[in-house]
Amino acid sequence: MKLKNIVDLLNLEVRSGSDKLDVEVCGGYASDLMSDVIAHARERQLWITLQTHVNTAAVAGMKGLAGVILVQGREPEQDTVEKAGKEGITILVTKMPAFEIAGKLYNILNAEKV
Amino acid sequence: MTEVTKVQELVYELKLRDVMKKDVFSVAPGMQMSELREIFRTRRISGAPVLDGDRLAGIISIEDFIRWLSDGGKECRISEKMSKRVETFYSDDTLVHALNKMEAAGFGRFPIIDRQTGGMCGIVTKGNIIEALLKELEIDFHEEEIRRYRASHIFEDIRADKSTLIFQYRIAGELSEAGTTSSGLKTTLKRLGFHPDIVRRSAIIAYEAETNVLINAKEGKMVVRVEPAEIYMKIEDKGPGIPDVEKVMEPGFSTAPDWVRELGFGAGMGLPNIKKCSDKMVLNSTVGKGTCLEATVDIRQPQ
Ligand SMILES: Nc1ncnc2c1ncn2[C@@H]1O[C@H](COP(=O)(O)OP(=O)(O)OP(=O)(O)O)[C@@H](O)[C@H]1O
Ligand SMILES: [Mg+2]
């Protein structure tokens, strides 16, 4: 499913990379530990986290992730938005907690497969 | 053989909305049958969907038109002669689904319905699908060609008995700047045309080593040597050193202070990640003097 459809369906707000929503999302990974994401997240997955600082953008860029969803209404820090903008990384925010958004994302991505 | 698997992959990946023809010429159900003659002739089409607003009411084909003519050609509305039982697809159906159904149906023009709105949003023929597949394959093939060319020629083009490329990076600054060094290396290796897997593994090694230096030693340097058979990386710092180099290799072991953990570091997975990504890894350290990490990625045999 295209990222822009997910943004619509889950009512996500876009904080950077609004021109990068055409990418095809192939899954998700939820974690707040950088090394864990580096080890286990896959290219073109969406990363669900509460980490709002600039390293989030660096890790997302390095792993070629489809984007980052910040949970619980957390806003990205200013330099995170700047770095993400420069590297073409999509940062999204939601009021939902991680458990909820992960469940919803899982459902839409799975519904699409059948 | 690779082409076949690539096609198989694509028919599962691509959706009809990626290949369908979007601006479709359609007719209205209230139009007269006789109007079709001009339409079919001038537009060189052999059929058209019949749309009532954006709803699909049916499909009218040149066969329907000819049948009407041979039955006497008595003027009537298109809605009376069109076929109303139309097989359709949804725009988010996969190509493989469409291809299977086309095979079973024995004909090849299907209107596409938007699942959300229920309206018609395009039309697909076998031709569209084949065209789209060929285009994707061509792009892929092209990219693969470039990659192969660069990766295999970079050393062949250099005339020397022994050739090595050396890149040096200084690691320093705030933890928030972590990733600068590794993304620089990633870009360089990509440009040199290395296989994505090699690039990914080298970037992970650089990133984890870089954050460790920034957290524990504040500054250091990374030297990367690209040789015909391997990428060799050496990350050195003059920080506090590591008392037990075996202990720190255990997954989960970390001495990261709270402020570092708050930023999402300190899972104790950095060094294990490096080990996983490298074909050879050596960690040397002397307390009070500093730490030296060496990692090698084989470039002869991508995994
Ligand atoms: N360059 C270094 N200088 C001194 N100590 C180091 C250095 N690199 C690693 N260490 C020690 O090794 C430990 C484990 O490192 P490792 O990268 O595996 O985990 P971490 O950095 O603590 O957490 P993570 O990498 O998962 O965020 C560190 O907590 C630290 O004590
Ligand atoms: Mg580490």
Side-chain angles (χ1 to χ4, degrees), chain B residues 26-29 49-58 82 111 113-121:
Chain B
S26 64
V27 294
V50 185
L51 283 193
D52 192 359
D54 74 335
R55 301 284 124 165
L56 183 71
M82 68 187 185
I113 308 292
D114 184 314
R115 200 187 287 273
Q116 257 99 41
T117 65
M120 194 190 83
C121 57

Side-chain angles (χ1 to χ4, degrees), chain B residues 237-242 285-291:
Chain B
D237 66 64
K238 295 198 173 69
I242 301 169
S285 188
T286 313
V287 174
K289 282 244 165 75
T291 301

Side-chain angles (χ1 to χ4, degrees), chain B residues 84-101:
Chain B
K84 291 189 184 108
R85 286 197 36 200
V86 185
E87 297 238 30
T88 59
F89 293 122
Y90 287 116
S91 55
D92 55 3
D93 282 338
T94 54
L95 294 196
V96 67
H97 174 78
L99 284 169
N100 285 338
K101 248 176 112 176

